[in-house]
Amino acid sequence: MKKFRKVLDGLTTSSPGGTIGSPSCGSAAGTPTSAPAPREIDIQETLISENFQLCKTVRHGFPYQPTALAFDPVQKLLAIGSRSGGIRILGRPGVDCYCQHESGAAVLQLQFLINEGALVTACADDTLHLWNLRQRRPAVLHSLKFNRERITFCHLPFQSKWLYVGTERGNTHIVNIESFILSGYVIMWNKAIELATKTHPGPVVHLSDSPKDEGKLLIGFESGTIVQWDLRAKKADFRIYYDEAIHSVSWHHEGKQFMCSHSDGSLTLWNLRNTTKPFQVTFPHGKIQKDGRKESCKPILKVEYKTSRNSEPFIIFSGGLSYDKAGRRPTLTIMHGKAITVLEMDYPIVEFLVLCETPYNNEVQDPYAVVVLLEKDLIVVDLTQSNFPVFENPYPMDVHESPVTCTAYFADCPPDIIPILYSIGAKHKKTGYSQKEWPISGGTWMLGSHTYPEIIITGHADGSIKFWDASAITLQMLYKLKTSKAFEKPKVGDGRAAELVEEDPFAVQMVSWCPQSRIFCVVGISAHIILYRFSKYDANTQIVSLEVRLQCEPEDVISPSENENNPCFTESGSHSPHHQQPVNAGNRTPEGNKDSTPCLKVKERMVRVPPGYQSELVIQLQWIDGEPPQQITSLDINSAYGLLAFGNCNGLAVVDYLQKTILLCMSTLDLYGATDPYQRLTRSPRRNRQSTSELCMRGLSNLYSDSKKRIRTSYQSLTELTDNQQSIDMERSKSPTSDHVNGHCTSPTSQSCSAGKPRIPMGPEGPRLTRRGPGRPPFRKAQSAACMEISLPVSHTEVGHASRRAMLQQLHGVTMYSHDEHHTTASYCWSERESRENSFSHSRSSSVSSIDRETKEAITTLQFGESFGRKTDALPTPCLWVGTSLGVALLIPMSIPTDQEERMDEPVAIGPSGGVLMLKGSVLRFGFLDCMGALIQSPYEVWRDLNAAEDPDRPRRRKLVHFSPSSSQDACGDGHLAVVCSERQAKVFLMPSQSCLFVHNITESSFVLRADIVSVYNSACLACFCANGHVMTLSLPSLRPLMDVNYLPLTDMRIARTFCFTNGGQALYLSSPTEIQRITYSQEMCDNLQEMLGELFTPIETPEAQNRGFLKGFFGGNAQTFDREELFGEASAGKASRSLAQHIPGQGGVEGMKVAATGVVGDLARARIALDERGQRLGELEDRTALMMTSAETFSKHAHELMLKCKDKKWYQF
């Protein structure tokens, strides 16, 4: 515990760009007040660095770009490999493990050591890895890197420790699984084929041992050659040369036949008695044409030939459709007897596996399910029912059903919200699933003791919202909401709407949710906001629509060619609450009315809404002068106040959603009023409204058109960008306040947002600079957070922080002062370096003017709360904190009627701007603490169902919960502390004096992307995620660094858009377009993570092999025992060449190979497994002995019968 003391007087005044906090550094403009009397604030901080540790917890969603699939039939575990080197191991719900190869090479193939708790992976960098699954966090035990040959196929026989590895050269190597060392036994391709063959057979595409004899290995080459190799005799038993390339081979369980799939869409069945020609050739989907020829078909990529005890065998394959039918979806074909069932898939098939009852390949297989791995989905088909239904997937594999565009994370939610959401969402679940239990049921998982209600909300490109139960590190969908239902469908030929039919006009940008009041707000890409209320009852409702003209006029853009300061809004957007009519009532010009329409059309009729979230209010920004409205960059809603605030790069709007009126609609410049910290130049009126509006409007089209010049929609690496593109992005990334997330620049230190094309400077009378070509729609396909990449700052050069002032000073050649410089003795001095960087010649070029003409100040964050709007306030009042992209924090006080009836009738009064606080970089987050350092929550209204039947004895009234700072201790009187975090620094201010108590420069070389004031260990701290990948926590209020971990470099826009912190030391982000990665920065959760994770391996007895019967065992069975150790061991096969492969010990350590897990439970499990294995060997020996005794008794019986028969016969009777 550490005590912090800060004396509030005697500090020198600093500029907004300074690094030292002072009583006047954040003071409001106006007549300076006397410095406060010296006093001390004692704050007991309990958080220390040892409380924090960063680690990954769990990954949810579908594995991105899957490549391989494997199944353990005994442990009932499923493994999926991906192109990025990841492995997902799935068992019963709750058992979900993610592993990652350090190399990042694509996983080519997976092989379980069945019932051994281990997994072999073959990667694209020609390396084999052995993973230990007998621990909650799997680790690599061994790796084997092939140096001269490329791995193409692997096969591990059941209960064998020798792995067959086929290569691109056609050779087959053998690896000892225990030591992960190559055997000296090699099957060379030139020995496998006949010497007379002149061509190379191609890579090995199949390896399998014969079910009839383990000493026979079937090798399939890509060219169509098949060889059965006798491992003991070291020679080929037979060779098959077929004209068509082979893709896969599957044995009949008796070992007398096998089936091959070929590139011409055919299936060939081969009998070992006659290998000169196939026993049967079929084209399952190939029809005979009129000329008698077979129509050409696509390749059959894989076939599985499985026998059934009670029915005809199953032949299951993927592909093989005819080429003539274009546009057909990928298919999986199931041939069962004479019945052929074709299952169409939504996505291409990557791999499929048939799940069978037995792990032995020489027994009747009895398949019961098929696991089909698609490019973007995982389905399991039930083979036990004739209609082949699919199982309901218990994993959250549909996170990416529509691309994810935003995320929100809420920990420690009200406990009743999850059951209610689940009960309503369950009514809309799909039906028709198989009634049987999910077949992938391996591992064990129990609900841990450190659990609390958590909810994750994802917004999607199609306008849908999904609520997920994230409690206990699991993920289960609770409820789905479709925001598009509030709007009419755009009709073809309906003007501007016709351009949006093929796009994503409902894509979700951000969400705001109050779990206590259950009020939910959604911001969409079409500059629209939808407010929802929760109800357990259905209702007939009519959606109220408000249209807002929040559009910046050219006078608000700082331009050297304009000399008059005119407000950009009409009187209806003033501070007075009496002007509550719709804002678009102003500017009654024919030109203005022509385009004053929103992007979408709200349903005007009464609609029946089901239980759940029901839309109540839709707010839309209007088109003006042929340009779409700006993206909404910030949003906050407060249920206690009944207010909703939002802003963009043009200004701020405040809406009373109880009275359905617009309270405030102003440009950012007008919000300052007399407290403007910048000296504004006077400007002359524009001469041509149309041309200048074209120059200053930054509409939605720029998010998905101009931004494509710097944001890549593919998943290419950053090194693939062109030099020109890199230079543009490097210049833009020098300013941390360039709003990459929302697709347009908000900082004057940035270049023009459409940099990438040379700008043509034009005067007011010049020709129009069109932003869109003729017929170019204002939207592009919604760039989800799942598919964006951004160039990173590569230069650590600092551009001057007070850059707006610097630009004006250098461009206009005038001396500019801040308000503080008029009233303080300390003057603001530019550093020499900053002056050099920002210096321009006095005769400015028009290109510089055009860059400056685009400069705007955006609203970047908003926060309602009880605070002190002015220094002279004695009591806290409702306030709106406004943060801008220029590092300015504004306080707007409000007067809200307290009585419920007055609240619905009397207007809410919004006063002029109170305090003005300054920081470096764009403001990101506000937070409030009492003077003991405890976090002050925003007031809220307790949820009440407005659609419920009203009780006349108990009328429904609004129940408000307030957390007033005045109720805290008297350490600092009735004040409180305000925490303000920007892209560069964090400051703590004492309210109402607005004195800066603490300041901390978070980063100098990068910028903060996400910041949140969160509660950890019952204390508050500031958590930050920077663009350079650092995750940091700072104590509050002293801003003392507690943790700084270089965790995750920002490689794409997806991470920046979706990274979010929450209470309890947790955070999440979208690690790929289809996966959510959850992390924790709490030491306690890291310590308890082992308890929370599922156990992958559980000790299970291996099923006994079926008794083959006397006749099969005596006449047709394995008469000779196959000892692989004797054949492949070093004693007989020798050592392999050292240059062929290199053994690399894994991080799991050599000891990890011998131990299953730590602790007594692991020892007991190992002891039981050892006993089971010993018992199994003894059982096998006993079976052999019994078989020999039975054989001897049979022989004795037959001999006795023969003796009795011949006893009384004479010699001549024989």
Side-chain angles (χ1 to χ4, degrees), residues 710 718 721 725-734 740 789-796 1005-1007 1009 1025-1029 1048-1053 1055-1056:
R710 59 188 176 92
L718 296 176
L721 297 174
Q725 183 63 44
Q726 283 182 339
S727 63
I728 294 169
D729 290 334
M730 286 165 60
E731 288 297 321
R732 183 175 289 106
S733 64
K734 288 181 181 178
H740 298 290
E789 291 202 357
I790 183 172
S791 294
L792 302 182
V794 293
S795 172
H796 299 312
S1005 59
S1006 184
F1007 56 95
L1009 287 167
F1025 172 58
C1026 297
N1028 58 8
L1048 179 73
L1050 178 64
T1051 54
D1052 54 40
M1053 193 63 187
I1055 299 172

mmCIF file of all heavy atoms in Angstrom, residues 710 718 721 725-734 740 789-796 1005-1007 1009 1025-1029 1048-1053 1055-1056:
data_model
loop_
_atom_site.group_PDB
_atom_site.id
_atom_site.type_symbol
_atom_site.label_atom_id
_atom_site.label_comp_id
_atom_site.label_asym_id
_atom_site.label_seq_id
_atom_site.Cartn_x
_atom_site.Cartn_y
_atom_site.Cartn_z
ATOM 1 N N ARG A 710 -5.747 3.022 -48.199
ATOM 2 C CA ARG A 710 -4.827 2.757 -47.105
ATOM 3 C C ARG A 710 -5.247 1.578 -46.235
ATOM 4 O O ARG A 710 -4.505 1.126 -45.412
ATOM 5 C CB ARG A 710 -4.690 3.998 -46.214
ATOM 6 C CG ARG A 710 -5.994 4.454 -45.604
ATOM 7 C CD ARG A 710 -5.788 5.793 -44.899
ATOM 8 N NE ARG A 710 -7.038 6.307 -44.395
ATOM 9 C CZ ARG A 710 -7.490 6.069 -43.186
ATOM 10 N NH1 ARG A 710 -6.793 5.321 -42.377
ATOM 11 N NH2 ARG A 710 -8.620 6.577 -42.788
ATOM 12 N N LEU A 718 1.730 -6.751 -44.301
ATOM 13 C CA LEU A 718 1.992 -5.337 -44.549
ATOM 14 C C LEU A 718 3.137 -5.130 -45.521
ATOM 15 O O LEU A 718 3.236 -4.099 -46.172
ATOM 16 C CB LEU A 718 2.325 -4.648 -43.217
ATOM 17 C CG LEU A 718 1.187 -4.623 -42.185
ATOM 18 C CD1 LEU A 718 1.678 -4.015 -40.897
ATOM 19 C CD2 LEU A 718 0.017 -3.842 -42.730
ATOM 20 N N LEU A 721 2.433 -4.192 -49.307
ATOM 21 C CA LEU A 721 1.954 -2.906 -49.766
ATOM 22 C C LEU A 721 2.979 -2.267 -50.688
ATOM 23 O O LEU A 721 4.183 -2.471 -50.575
ATOM 24 C CB LEU A 721 1.697 -1.977 -48.569
ATOM 25 C CG LEU A 721 0.607 -2.442 -47.599
ATOM 26 C CD1 LEU A 721 0.576 -1.510 -46.406
ATOM 27 C CD2 LEU A 721 -0.729 -2.462 -48.286
ATOM 28 N N GLN A 725 2.026 3.414 -51.414
ATOM 29 C CA GLN A 725 1.020 3.267 -50.365
ATOM 30 C C GLN A 725 1.660 3.371 -48.998
ATOM 31 O O GLN A 725 1.114 3.977 -48.084
ATOM 32 C CB GLN A 725 0.323 1.915 -50.522
ATOM 33 C CG GLN A 725 -0.801 1.680 -49.514
ATOM 34 C CD GLN A 725 -1.898 2.675 -49.681
ATOM 35 O OE1 GLN A 725 -2.305 2.963 -50.800
ATOM 36 N NE2 GLN A 725 -2.366 3.244 -48.588
ATOM 37 N N GLN A 726 2.848 2.792 -48.846
ATOM 38 C CA GLN A 726 3.512 2.860 -47.560
ATOM 39 C C GLN A 726 3.877 4.283 -47.212
ATOM 40 O O GLN A 726 3.751 4.706 -46.069
ATOM 41 C CB GLN A 726 4.758 1.979 -47.571
ATOM 42 C CG GLN A 726 4.437 0.498 -47.442
ATOM 43 C CD GLN A 726 5.692 -0.335 -47.403
ATOM 44 O OE1 GLN A 726 6.734 0.117 -47.854
ATOM 45 N NE2 GLN A 726 5.594 -1.528 -46.872
ATOM 46 N N SER A 727 4.314 5.021 -48.179
ATOM 47 C CA SER A 727 4.685 6.395 -47.883
ATOM 48 C C SER A 727 3.481 7.207 -47.456
ATOM 49 O O SER A 727 3.548 8.031 -46.548
ATOM 50 C CB SER A 727 5.345 7.027 -49.113
ATOM 51 O OG SER A 727 4.428 7.093 -50.185
ATOM 52 N N ILE A 728 2.351 6.969 -48.108
ATOM 53 C CA ILE A 728 1.137 7.684 -47.719
ATOM 54 C C ILE A 728 0.741 7.311 -46.302
ATOM 55 O O ILE A 728 0.436 8.165 -45.475
ATOM 56 C CB ILE A 728 -0.005 7.361 -48.704
ATOM 57 C CG1 ILE A 728 0.331 7.929 -50.088
ATOM 58 C CG2 ILE A 728 -1.324 7.940 -48.209
ATOM 59 C CD1 ILE A 728 -0.606 7.440 -51.161
ATOM 60 N N ASP A 729 0.778 6.008 -46.010
ATOM 61 C CA ASP A 729 0.373 5.569 -44.688
ATOM 62 C C ASP A 729 1.359 6.020 -43.629
ATOM 63 O O ASP A 729 0.982 6.303 -42.492
ATOM 64 C CB ASP A 729 0.241 4.043 -44.662
ATOM 65 C CG ASP A 729 -0.956 3.596 -45.476
ATOM 66 O OD1 ASP A 729 -1.904 4.371 -45.617
ATOM 67 O OD2 ASP A 729 -0.920 2.452 -45.949
ATOM 68 N N MET A 730 2.643 6.081 -43.988
ATOM 69 C CA MET A 730 3.638 6.542 -43.026
ATOM 70 C C MET A 730 3.402 7.996 -42.669
ATOM 71 O O MET A 730 3.481 8.393 -41.510
ATOM 72 C CB MET A 730 5.037 6.339 -43.589
ATOM 73 C CG MET A 730 5.485 4.872 -43.595
ATOM 74 S SD MET A 730 6.911 4.593 -44.631
ATOM 75 C CE MET A 730 8.090 5.664 -43.848
ATOM 76 N N GLU A 731 3.088 8.785 -43.660
ATOM 77 C CA GLU A 731 2.819 10.180 -43.380
ATOM 78 C C GLU A 731 1.576 10.330 -42.526
ATOM 79 O O GLU A 731 1.529 11.111 -41.591
ATOM 80 C CB GLU A 731 2.646 10.951 -44.699
ATOM 81 C CG GLU A 731 3.951 11.138 -45.472
ATOM 82 C CD GLU A 731 4.965 11.969 -44.685
ATOM 83 O OE1 GLU A 731 4.544 12.936 -44.025
ATOM 84 O OE2 GLU A 731 6.137 11.626 -44.697
ATOM 85 N N ARG A 732 0.565 9.560 -42.861
ATOM 86 C CA ARG A 732 -0.681 9.664 -42.112
ATOM 87 C C ARG A 732 -0.505 9.151 -40.697
ATOM 88 O O ARG A 732 -1.087 9.667 -39.762
ATOM 89 C CB ARG A 732 -1.781 8.882 -42.829
ATOM 90 C CG ARG A 732 -3.131 9.000 -42.145
ATOM 91 C CD ARG A 732 -4.210 8.315 -42.943
ATOM 92 N NE ARG A 732 -4.524 9.051 -44.158
ATOM 93 C CZ ARG A 732 -4.156 8.649 -45.367
ATOM 94 N NH1 ARG A 732 -3.465 7.548 -45.499
ATOM 95 N NH2 ARG A 732 -4.474 9.355 -46.431
ATOM 96 N N SER A 733 0.288 8.091 -40.537
ATOM 97 C CA SER A 733 0.411 7.487 -39.215
ATOM 98 C C SER A 733 1.286 8.305 -38.289
ATOM 99 O O SER A 733 1.385 7.987 -37.120
ATOM 100 C CB SER A 733 1.001 6.079 -39.342
ATOM 101 O OG SER A 733 2.305 6.151 -39.849
ATOM 102 N N LYS A 734 1.942 9.371 -38.794
ATOM 103 C CA LYS A 734 2.706 10.208 -37.884
ATOM 104 C C LYS A 734 1.807 10.875 -36.858
ATOM 105 O O LYS A 734 2.246 11.227 -35.786
ATOM 106 C CB LYS A 734 3.480 11.279 -38.675
ATOM 107 C CG LYS A 734 4.658 10.717 -39.451
ATOM 108 C CD LYS A 734 5.377 11.820 -40.170
ATOM 109 C CE LYS A 734 6.554 11.263 -40.985
ATOM 110 N NZ LYS A 734 7.239 12.313 -41.718
ATOM 111 N N HIS A 740 -8.160 6.269 -37.842
ATOM 112 C CA HIS A 740 -8.156 5.095 -38.718
ATOM 113 C C HIS A 740 -9.389 4.249 -38.503
ATOM 114 O O HIS A 740 -9.841 3.566 -39.389
ATOM 115 C CB HIS A 740 -6.908 4.255 -38.450
ATOM 116 C CG HIS A 740 -5.645 4.990 -38.751
ATOM 117 N ND1 HIS A 740 -5.261 5.303 -40.020
ATOM 118 C CD2 HIS A 740 -4.685 5.493 -37.938
ATOM 119 C CE1 HIS A 740 -4.100 5.944 -39.988
ATOM 120 N NE2 HIS A 740 -3.728 6.074 -38.731
ATOM 121 N N GLU A 789 -6.949 -4.186 -42.690
ATOM 122 C CA GLU A 789 -5.576 -4.048 -42.253
ATOM 123 C C GLU A 789 -5.199 -2.590 -42.305
ATOM 124 O O GLU A 789 -5.707 -1.824 -43.117
ATOM 125 C CB GLU A 789 -4.621 -4.864 -43.125
ATOM 126 C CG GLU A 789 -4.800 -6.358 -42.918
ATOM 127 C CD GLU A 789 -3.572 -7.130 -43.327
ATOM 128 O OE1 GLU A 789 -2.639 -6.503 -43.820
ATOM 129 O OE2 GLU A 789 -3.559 -8.347 -43.125
ATOM 130 N N ILE A 790 -4.276 -2.226 -41.429
ATOM 131 C CA ILE A 790 -3.888 -0.825 -41.350
ATOM 132 C C ILE A 790 -2.377 -0.744 -41.294
ATOM 133 O O ILE A 790 -1.719 -1.593 -40.720
ATOM 134 C CB ILE A 790 -4.520 -0.180 -40.100
ATOM 135 C CG1 ILE A 790 -4.201 1.306 -40.031
ATOM 136 C CG2 ILE A 790 -4.050 -0.827 -38.821
ATOM 137 C CD1 ILE A 790 -4.947 2.017 -38.939
ATOM 138 N N SER A 791 -1.819 0.270 -41.894
ATOM 139 C CA SER A 791 -0.390 0.477 -41.803
ATOM 140 C C SER A 791 -0.058 1.069 -40.453
ATOM 141 O O SER A 791 -0.785 1.906 -39.924
ATOM 142 C CB SER A 791 0.082 1.415 -42.914
ATOM 143 O OG SER A 791 -0.080 0.801 -44.159
ATOM 144 N N LEU A 792 1.049 0.632 -39.903
ATOM 145 C CA LEU A 792 1.413 1.045 -38.561
ATOM 146 C C LEU A 792 2.355 2.219 -38.613
ATOM 147 O O LEU A 792 3.062 2.436 -39.601
ATOM 148 C CB LEU A 792 2.102 -0.118 -37.835
ATOM 149 C CG LEU A 792 1.266 -1.380 -37.748
ATOM 150 C CD1 LEU A 792 2.041 -2.424 -36.981
ATOM 151 C CD2 LEU A 792 -0.028 -1.081 -37.060
ATOM 152 N N PRO A 793 2.395 2.999 -37.518
ATOM 153 C CA PRO A 793 3.375 4.077 -37.467
ATOM 154 C C PRO A 793 4.774 3.490 -37.473
ATOM 155 O O PRO A 793 5.116 2.678 -36.638
ATOM 156 C CB PRO A 793 3.070 4.763 -36.129
ATOM 157 C CG PRO A 793 1.687 4.334 -35.778
ATOM 158 C CD PRO A 793 1.515 2.979 -36.374
ATOM 159 N N VAL A 794 5.566 3.918 -38.437
ATOM 160 C CA VAL A 794 6.933 3.420 -38.513
ATOM 161 C C VAL A 794 7.938 4.506 -38.188
ATOM 162 O O VAL A 794 9.126 4.258 -38.133
ATOM 163 C CB VAL A 794 7.227 2.866 -39.920
ATOM 164 C CG1 VAL A 794 6.389 1.634 -40.171
ATOM 165 C CG2 VAL A 794 6.943 3.907 -40.991
ATOM 166 N N SER A 795 7.461 5.710 -38.011
ATOM 167 C CA SER A 795 8.341 6.813 -37.679
ATOM 168 C C SER A 795 7.999 7.297 -36.291
ATOM 169 O O SER A 795 6.840 7.464 -35.932
ATOM 170 C CB SER A 795 8.178 7.948 -38.701
ATOM 171 O OG SER A 795 8.899 9.075 -38.269
ATOM 172 N N HIS A 796 9.033 7.543 -35.499
ATOM 173 C CA HIS A 796 8.821 8.043 -34.154
ATOM 174 C C HIS A 796 8.907 9.559 -34.101
ATOM 175 O O HIS A 796 9.013 10.149 -33.047
ATOM 176 C CB HIS A 796 9.858 7.441 -33.197
ATOM 177 C CG HIS A 796 9.771 5.951 -33.135
ATOM 178 N ND1 HIS A 796 8.568 5.298 -32.969
ATOM 179 C CD2 HIS A 796 10.722 4.986 -33.236
ATOM 180 C CE1 HIS A 796 8.782 3.989 -32.947
ATOM 181 N NE2 HIS A 796 10.068 3.786 -33.116
ATOM 182 N N SER A 1005 6.159 7.299 -28.720
ATOM 183 C CA SER A 1005 6.437 6.801 -30.075
ATOM 184 C C SER A 1005 5.223 6.179 -30.739
ATOM 185 O O SER A 1005 5.272 5.877 -31.926
ATOM 186 C CB SER A 1005 7.560 5.764 -30.024
ATOM 187 O OG SER A 1005 7.191 4.683 -29.191
ATOM 188 N N SER A 1006 4.144 5.938 -29.996
ATOM 189 C CA SER A 1006 2.961 5.318 -30.565
ATOM 190 C C SER A 1006 1.740 6.110 -30.126
ATOM 191 O O SER A 1006 1.839 7.301 -29.795
ATOM 192 C CB SER A 1006 2.870 3.849 -30.132
ATOM 193 O OG SER A 1006 1.783 3.200 -30.737
ATOM 194 N N PHE A 1007 0.580 5.469 -30.088
ATOM 195 C CA PHE A 1007 -0.629 6.125 -29.612
ATOM 196 C C PHE A 1007 -1.576 5.073 -29.068
ATOM 197 O O PHE A 1007 -1.533 3.908 -29.452
ATOM 198 C CB PHE A 1007 -1.302 6.949 -30.719
ATOM 199 C CG PHE A 1007 -1.640 6.182 -31.959
ATOM 200 C CD1 PHE A 1007 -2.902 5.641 -32.150
ATOM 201 C CD2 PHE A 1007 -0.686 5.988 -32.957
ATOM 202 C CE1 PHE A 1007 -3.216 4.945 -33.293
ATOM 203 C CE2 PHE A 1007 -0.989 5.290 -34.110
ATOM 204 C CZ PHE A 1007 -2.252 4.758 -34.286
ATOM 205 N N LEU A 1009 -4.935 3.122 -28.581
ATOM 206 C CA LEU A 1009 -6.118 2.787 -29.366
ATOM 207 C C LEU A 1009 -7.351 2.629 -28.503
ATOM 208 O O LEU A 1009 -8.439 3.093 -28.868
ATOM 209 C CB LEU A 1009 -5.870 1.478 -30.133
ATOM 210 C CG LEU A 1009 -4.919 1.548 -31.311
ATOM 211 C CD1 LEU A 1009 -4.554 0.155 -31.749
ATOM 212 C CD2 LEU A 1009 -5.540 2.309 -32.453
ATOM 213 N N PHE A 1025 -4.477 0.037 -24.410
ATOM 214 C CA PHE A 1025 -3.905 -0.790 -25.472
ATOM 215 C C PHE A 1025 -3.377 0.145 -26.551
ATOM 216 O O PHE A 1025 -4.124 0.949 -27.111
ATOM 217 C CB PHE A 1025 -4.952 -1.738 -26.053
ATOM 218 C CG PHE A 1025 -4.489 -2.488 -27.281
ATOM 219 C CD1 PHE A 1025 -3.362 -3.286 -27.237
ATOM 220 C CD2 PHE A 1025 -5.173 -2.373 -28.480
ATOM 221 C CE1 PHE A 1025 -2.930 -3.970 -28.353
ATOM 222 C CE2 PHE A 1025 -4.752 -3.053 -29.601
ATOM 223 C CZ PHE A 1025 -3.631 -3.852 -29.547
ATOM 224 N N CYS A 1026 -2.077 0.050 -26.817
ATOM 225 C CA CYS A 1026 -1.418 0.961 -27.755
ATOM 226 C C CYS A 1026 -1.238 0.301 -29.114
ATOM 227 O O CYS A 1026 -1.263 -0.921 -29.248
ATOM 228 C CB CYS A 1026 -0.058 1.395 -27.213
ATOM 229 S SG CYS A 1026 -0.168 2.334 -25.680
ATOM 230 N N ALA A 1027 -1.021 1.149 -30.113
ATOM 231 C CA ALA A 1027 -0.857 0.647 -31.478
ATOM 232 C C ALA A 1027 0.419 -0.150 -31.643
ATOM 233 O O ALA A 1027 0.528 -0.959 -32.567
ATOM 234 C CB ALA A 1027 -0.882 1.811 -32.471
ATOM 235 N N ASN A 1028 1.415 0.055 -30.783
ATOM 236 C CA ASN A 1028 2.643 -0.728 -30.871
ATOM 237 C C ASN A 1028 2.525 -2.080 -30.183
ATOM 238 O O ASN A 1028 3.507 -2.808 -30.057
ATOM 239 C CB ASN A 1028 3.820 0.060 -30.299
ATOM 240 C CG ASN A 1028 3.598 0.465 -28.854
ATOM 241 O OD1 ASN A 1028 2.633 0.047 -28.218
ATOM 242 N ND2 ASN A 1028 4.484 1.285 -28.321
ATOM 243 N N GLY A 1029 1.326 -2.420 -29.720
ATOM 244 C CA GLY A 1029 1.092 -3.732 -29.131
ATOM 245 C C GLY A 1029 1.209 -3.798 -27.637
ATOM 246 O O GLY A 1029 1.009 -4.863 -27.058
ATOM 247 N N LEU A 1048 0.817 -7.570 -28.305
ATOM 248 C CA LEU A 1048 0.243 -7.872 -29.614
ATOM 249 C C LEU A 1048 0.445 -6.683 -30.542
ATOM 250 O O LEU A 1048 -0.236 -5.672 -30.396
ATOM 251 C CB LEU A 1048 -1.259 -8.171 -29.472
ATOM 252 C CG LEU A 1048 -2.019 -8.490 -30.747
ATOM 253 C CD1 LEU A 1048 -1.660 -9.877 -31.237
ATOM 254 C CD2 LEU A 1048 -3.518 -8.401 -30.514
ATOM 255 N N PRO A 1049 1.328 -6.779 -31.512
ATOM 256 C CA PRO A 1049 1.480 -5.672 -32.464
ATOM 257 C C PRO A 1049 0.207 -5.494 -33.276
ATOM 258 O O PRO A 1049 -0.430 -6.474 -33.670
ATOM 259 C CB PRO A 1049 2.649 -6.122 -33.353
ATOM 260 C CG PRO A 1049 3.340 -7.192 -32.592
ATOM 261 C CD PRO A 1049 2.297 -7.844 -31.737
ATOM 262 N N LEU A 1050 -0.148 -4.247 -33.504
ATOM 263 C CA LEU A 1050 -1.347 -3.953 -34.287
ATOM 264 C C LEU A 1050 -1.034 -4.195 -35.758
ATOM 265 O O LEU A 1050 -0.445 -3.369 -36.426
ATOM 266 C CB LEU A 1050 -1.790 -2.513 -34.070
ATOM 267 C CG LEU A 1050 -3.005 -2.076 -34.870
ATOM 268 C CD1 LEU A 1050 -4.228 -2.866 -34.451
ATOM 269 C CD2 LEU A 1050 -3.252 -0.597 -34.715
ATOM 270 N N THR A 1051 -1.450 -5.342 -36.252
ATOM 271 C CA THR A 1051 -1.161 -5.691 -37.645
ATOM 272 C C THR A 1051 -2.332 -5.438 -38.565
ATOM 273 O O THR A 1051 -2.150 -5.425 -39.776
ATOM 274 C CB THR A 1051 -0.760 -7.176 -37.743
ATOM 275 O OG1 THR A 1051 -1.794 -7.969 -37.138
ATOM 276 C CG2 THR A 1051 0.544 -7.424 -37.005
ATOM 277 N N ASP A 1052 -3.516 -5.281 -38.043
ATOM 278 C CA ASP A 1052 -4.646 -4.998 -38.912
ATOM 279 C C ASP A 1052 -5.706 -4.221 -38.151
ATOM 280 O O ASP A 1052 -5.688 -4.110 -36.932
ATOM 281 C CB ASP A 1052 -5.234 -6.272 -39.531
ATOM 282 C CG ASP A 1052 -5.606 -7.296 -38.482
ATOM 283 O OD1 ASP A 1052 -6.139 -6.887 -37.437
ATOM 284 O OD2 ASP A 1052 -5.359 -8.488 -38.705
ATOM 285 N N MET A 1053 -6.627 -3.665 -38.910
ATOM 286 C CA MET A 1053 -7.655 -2.807 -38.363
ATOM 287 C C MET A 1053 -8.625 -3.575 -37.479
ATOM 288 O O MET A 1053 -9.250 -2.996 -36.576
ATOM 289 C CB MET A 1053 -8.414 -2.178 -39.539
ATOM 290 C CG MET A 1053 -9.293 -1.037 -39.155
ATOM 291 S SD MET A 1053 -8.308 0.284 -38.489
ATOM 292 C CE MET A 1053 -9.617 1.361 -37.958
ATOM 293 N N ILE A 1055 -8.140 -5.649 -35.068
ATOM 294 C CA ILE A 1055 -7.795 -5.613 -33.651
ATOM 295 C C ILE A 1055 -8.139 -4.257 -33.061
ATOM 296 O O ILE A 1055 -8.688 -4.153 -31.963
ATOM 297 C CB ILE A 1055 -6.301 -5.948 -33.467
ATOM 298 C CG1 ILE A 1055 -6.010 -7.354 -34.005
ATOM 299 C CG2 ILE A 1055 -5.898 -5.831 -32.009
ATOM 300 C CD1 ILE A 1055 -4.546 -7.697 -34.039
ATOM 301 N N ALA A 1056 -7.843 -3.192 -33.793
ATOM 302 C CA ALA A 1056 -8.109 -1.853 -33.286
ATOM 303 C C ALA A 1056 -9.598 -1.626 -33.074
ATOM 304 O O ALA A 1056 -10.013 -1.001 -32.096
ATOM 305 C CB ALA A 1056 -7.560 -0.814 -34.268
#
